[in-house]
Amino acid sequence: MSNLNIGVLSIQGDVHENILAVKKSLQKLGYSGTVCSINHEYQLSNLDGLIIPGGESTTIAKLSMKRYLFKTLYDKINNGMPVFGICAGLILLSKHVNDKNIGKTNQIHMDLLDVEVERNYFGRQQYSFESDVEIILHNPTKIKGIFIRAPSIKKAGKNVQILSKLNDSIIAVRQNNILATSFHPELTHDIKLYEYFLSMLKKINSK
Amino acid sequence: MISLSGDIENAKGICQKKINSNDVTYGTSTLKRGFAHMLKNGVVMDVTSVEQAHIAEDAGAVAVMVLDKLPSDVRKIGGVARTASIKIINEIMDTVTIPVMAKCRIGHVYEARVLEKANVDMVDESEVLTPANENHHIWKWDFTTPFVNGCRSLSEALRRIEEGSSMIRTKGEPGTGNIVEAVRHINKVNYDLSMLKSIKNYGDESILIKLARDFQISYDILKKTAQLGRLPVVNFAAGGISTPADAGYLMSLGCDGIFVGSGIFKSSDAKERANAIVLAATFWDDINKVYEAQNLVDEKESMLGIDIQELELKMQDRGKN
């Protein structure tokens, strides 16, 4: 595996910032690779890893269906393609999704990550917040968490490794090839999570 | 990473709290501008009722904007247009999971305060409503809730950002079903930006300082915008969008997303049109998808537009300073 091919799902949301963060991380780690925005099914075939960025999960799910991306994505991830889901991305990957305010919704999701997610857990935009969070990457480390109408993980299955908690909420997890956070690393200068994802991706792809 | 040009670090809208042992901060520019980032490549739809909000959410809108009357009705009925009923805003917030925005009158600090109290996700200080203060816009740094403002040029956009706006949209001419003004405004912003970049490349700082005076903004934000080469916040198109092709065209001019006002719910095929406009805005760079979207609507059902020459009221002239 010499040249990594990394995609950012480019339906809606914070695509550009994720592309920049991946580029920066590739450079820092000295990996050779390319990053591209993905919004066609055919673009998925050569990917070594994918980021599903923050945005509106209902919109991303609905519009992905229009491009027949959803099923192919499901198959690829189920077959071991590394994926990093951020905020809306976390919601799309999860097995169980509820809304804090409304309860059960008809949110389309992929049923891959064995967690129970509550959308808009921390409240509406006024209650969006920044906080330092402790996270176990290769080692325990501290990063700035940007939580925007963020979801929270209420329960995680036994195969899910909890990387970070904030009070009672689980905010970052890993399950084999799936990495997911409820906060937005792409909005900060800190690229530690991307570096972690890239090294995870390299390890999985070299198997 | 998010651009923070023009940021005020000790703004009153920023508040800190300790939750257990964690320091938590609300209302920073990263959070406010970051919220707007999550709307990128999406469509925000004007709605006046719970039913319309449902149609918008089902179509894949990234947010809804609650109004008392759609812009074209404001135009028709006349009188004073004010912020929507809190009751309807609450009902809509209780039924959809996507963000809910609402409009307040230009300069009306207390309408904005009330909307913040109601817990809307974003306030639109909008020229569609009758202005309350002709000299001053709201000082938006005092709020924890983010604001979106309209503009017709780079100078207007940067004035609003310096007042604390976290998102910009073109003013266009609301309620007309005519995109000519929105196109003019985005073109003007783009033209101003390319002029700014060439002044920066020319390297004569005195020209930049004079331009900041002309623009009535600080030198600092102008310089940072020149370095950035684009607006430091997300920029949407608004005003007159009524067909999928309209949405696609404006996206192609460099807009980050679309606001649709009267275009959807003043047409006779609202549901199909809502779906179609979202489809076209999302996949604007694929003409096959825009074609598919345009094919979902019938021009006979489009809202009847108004020629700009025939307008008695130009909403875009409100709050231009």
Side-chain angles (χ1 to χ4, degrees), chain B residues 9 21 23 31 38 52 62 84 100 106 124-125 131 148 172 176 181-182 216 251-252 258 268 271 282-283 288 320:
Chain B
E9 281 176 24
S21 58
D23 285 315
L31 292 166
M38 299 312 142
Q52 291 181 352
V62 289
V100 175
I106 289 173
D124 183 359
E125 187 180 18
V148 54
T176 58
E181 293 302 301
Q216 298 169 38
M251 290 298 286
S252 77
I258 301 284
S268 323
K271 214 168 178 170
T282 308
F283 300 116
N288 294 317
K320 59 190 169 188

Side-chain angles (χ1 to χ4, degrees), chain A residues 53-203:
Chain A
E56 267 310 306
S57 53
T58 47
T59 308
I60 298 175
K62 265 172 201 148
L63 276 296
S64 299
M65 308 283 257
K66 304 254 188 215
R67 271 276 165 84
Y68 315 107
L69 276 158
F70 223 71
K71 179 75 179 67
T72 318
L73 262 180
Y74 174 87
D75 291 341
K76 296 261 317 176
I77 300 167
N78 203 24
N79 286 328
M81 179 178 75
V83 64
F84 180 12
I86 298 169
C87 193
L90 158 69
I91 294 167
L92 294 184
L93 291 164
S94 298
K95 274 211 159 117
H96 307 281
V97 180
N98 280 310
D99 186 88
K100 170 95 171 168
N101 205 6
I102 291 163
K104 197 88 203 108
T105 62
N106 50 2
Q107 168 78 47
I108 309 157
H109 49 100
M110 271 186 247
D111 278 343
L112 285 163
L113 178 61
D114 188 14
V115 295
E116 203 180 302
V117 169
E118 200 160 288
R119 287 180 64 194
N120 304 324
Y121 174 78
F122 298 98
R124 308 192 76 91
Q125 173 56 20
Q126 236 187 107
Y127 300 102
S128 292
F129 64 95
E130 293 183 19
S131 178
D132 285 338
V133 297
E134 307 248 0
I135 186 164
I136 305 160
L137 296 176
H138 303 293
N139 300 302
T141 175
K142 217 176 218 183
I143 59 173
K144 171 82 88 191
I146 308 287
F147 296 81
I148 296 178
R149 285 173 48 99
S152 164
I153 299 169
K154 303 310 292 171
K155 265 190 215 147
K158 59 179 185 311
N159 291 324
V160 177
Q161 185 193 354
I162 294 167
L163 303 180
S164 180
K165 280 179 94 171
L166 188 72
N167 299 328
D168 303 334
S169 305
I170 303 167
I171 52 170
V173 290
R174 173 157 176 201
Q175 175 190 304
N176 305 317
N177 58 320
I178 302 174
L179 174 69
T181 63
S182 67
F183 54 92
H184 292 275
E186 82 280 6
L187 295 179
T188 67
H189 293 274
D190 195 334
I191 52 170
K192 281 193 208 98
L193 261 159
Y194 292 92
E195 291 176 48
Y196 178 80
F197 178 62
L198 290 183
S199 62
M200 157 182 157
L201 184 149
K202 199 152 192 174
K203 214 180 251 173

Side-chain angles (χ1 to χ4, degrees), chain B residues 72 75 173-179 239-240 262 303-308 311:
Chain B
S72 72
R75 213 171 259 297
E173 195 49 52
T176 58
N178 190 340
I179 59 164
S262 318
M303 72 177 279
L304 189 64
I306 312 171
D307 192 281
I308 300 299
L311 284 183

Side-chain angles (χ1 to χ4, degrees), chain B residues 120-315:
Chain B
V120 301
D121 294 286
M122 186 173 242
V123 177
D124 183 359
E125 187 180 18
S126 175
E127 65 282 2
V128 168
L129 308 187
T130 313
N133 186 334
E134 292 192 321
N135 300 315
H136 296 286
H137 280 74
I138 296 169
W139 189 248
K140 293 162 274 281
W141 297 108
D142 288 351
F143 289 74
T144 309
T145 301
F147 279 73
V148 54
N149 277 86
C151 81
R152 300 180 302 174
S153 62
L154 182 63
S155 72
E156 222 174 309
L158 292 176
R159 284 199 294 277
R160 299 295 84 82
I161 293 166
E162 278 212 304
E163 292 157 2
S165 195
S166 306
M167 179 175 178
I168 291 294
R169 55 171 174 77
T170 59
K171 281 179 164 173
E173 195 49 52
T176 58
N178 190 340
I179 59 164
V180 68
E181 293 302 301
V183 170
R184 190 195 314 280
H185 299 161
I186 189 68
N187 280 340
K188 176 81 171 106
V189 171
N190 288 338
Y191 175 82
D192 291 348
L193 278 167
S194 56
M195 173 188 70
L196 183 60
K197 276 186 276 187
S198 53
I199 293 173
K200 182 191 154 265
N201 292 338
Y202 184 62
D204 185 346
E205 244 170 316
S206 71
I207 306 178
L208 218 50
I209 290 171
K210 278 181 199 145
L211 192 64
R213 288 180 189 158
D214 282 351
F215 277 13
Q216 298 169 38
I217 54 168
S218 72
Y219 172 62
D220 187 57
I221 193 170
L222 189 66
K223 193 173 154 190
K224 282 183 178 153
T225 305
Q227 281 161 353
L228 207 61
R230 59 153 293 152
L231 282 178
V233 300
V234 164
N235 183 21
F236 271 42
I241 295 151
S242 38
T243 71
D246 286 353
Y249 177 37
L250 279 157
M251 290 298 286
S252 77
L253 297 177
C255 297
D256 295 314
I258 301 284
F259 281 92
V260 189
S262 318
I264 291 172
F265 293 106
K266 278 290 150 190
S267 71
S268 323
D269 54 357
K271 214 168 178 170
E272 294 77 9
R273 197 166 290 256
N275 278 311
I277 289 179
V278 170
L279 191 64
T282 308
F283 300 116
W284 60 271
D285 55 351
D286 178 352
I287 193 64
N288 294 317
K289 278 284 172 206
V290 179
Y291 171 77
E292 186 190 321
Q294 186 79 3
N295 214 351
L296 291 171
V297 301
D298 182 351
E299 179 52 21
K300 295 197 166 41
E301 314 289 333
S302 292
M303 72 177 279
L304 189 64
I306 312 171
D307 192 281
I308 300 299
Q309 317 296 335
E310 294 165 11
L311 284 183
E312 283 170 25
L313 168 67
K314 272 195 148 185
M315 290 178 175

